[in-house]
Each structure stands twice: as structure tokens, then as C-alpha cells.
Amino acid sequence: RVQLVESGGASVQTGGSLRLSCAASGSTGSRYAMAWFRQASGDERQGVASIVSDGTTTYADSVKGRFTISKDSTENTLYLQMNNLQPEDTAMYYCALDFDPSTLTPSLSPLHYNYWGQGTQVTVSS
């Protein structure tokens, strides 16, 4: 069983940057899909960015040009580089894994993922 542990959340001011990390305790395998989601208080969980094992990525429109998802296979760690942060980016951020997906298509739907981390809080103040 793979366990995911997020880190890197913090409180920053508008325009600041953060890099979130998601360490997988076991191998994600050679064929996987991983993603970052976020959930603000009172809102539904929202897909932010996704990456699959061939390197294909997809992003929510609200973060395109500001956030970058990447994965270091040697460290088995997923990253989310977040630049030009805005107050509306405030949320709990979760990483997720689809182990051996049936198709290699990045997805921002939580229904595609069967492993989740516990979350890391990002707060952006104006």
C-alpha cells in the first residue's frame, strides 16, 4: 500500500511563492497518474494539476501560468511549484495517486484517484 505525505504549506502574502511536496512511501510504479487537489473551507475539492507517467500534464484554468506540477522519479516525490499566489488560492492542498491507471490521461476529477495524502494548508493574505 502506498502512503502519501504532503508538506510545504505555509502562510504567504499575495504574490509570493511556495513549493509543495508529496512523498510516496512506496513505488508509484512505472505507470501512474498523480494530481494536486485543493479544498477551501465550505467548498468542494477542486483539481489543480495532474501529471501522468509519460510526463503529460493538465492544469485548472485558474492556475495556468502560475503553478507547475512535476515528479522526481528518483525521489518518488510529487511537487507543485506555486508562483504569484493570490488570496483565492487559500485552501488545504492534497496530493493523489491513481496506481496503474487504465488510461494515461491526466485528470482533475477526484474520482480517478484511489490514494490520498492528509493535506497541507496554504494561506495567502492580501
Side-chain angles (χ1 to χ4, degrees):
R1 177 178 174 84
V2 176
Q3 289 188 320
L4 305 175
V5 179
E6 302 95 334
S7 61
S11 295
V12 297
Q13 292 189 327
T14 298
S17 296
L18 285 174
R19 189 176 79 156
L20 305 183
S21 300
C22 172
S25 62
S27 173
T28 57
S30 61
R31 181 182 171 87
Y32 61 82
M34 296 191 76
W36 287 98
F37 289 79
R38 66 187 181 187
Q39 188 167 17
S41 179
D43 288 348
E44 294 184 353
R45 193 165 295 191
Q46 172 192 38
V48 174
S50 174
I51 187 168
V52 295
S53 45
D54 68 0
T56 304
T57 60
T58 193
Y59 295 90
D61 288 344
S62 58
V63 307
K64 281 180 182 176
R66 300 189 298 124
F67 291 10
T68 302
I69 189 171
S70 62
K71 186 176 183 291
D72 185 326
S73 296
T74 60
E75 295 182 355
N76 221 21
T77 301
L78 181 73
Y79 297 101
L80 185 68
Q81 178 67 43
M82 305 187 295
N83 298 327
N84 191 22
L85 282 160
Q86 302 296 312
E88 53 266 34
D89 296 318
T90 295
M92 185 72 79
Y93 283 71
Y94 301 88
C95 71
L97 166 69
D98 182 2
F99 190 85
D100 195 19
S102 57
T103 61
L104 275 181
T105 303
S107 173
L108 299 181
S109 169
L111 299 177
H112 286 265
Y113 299 91
N114 41 27
Y115 293 96
W116 292 84
Q118 83 291 347
T120 186
Q121 178 68 37
V122 172
T123 302
V124 185
S125 58
S126 58

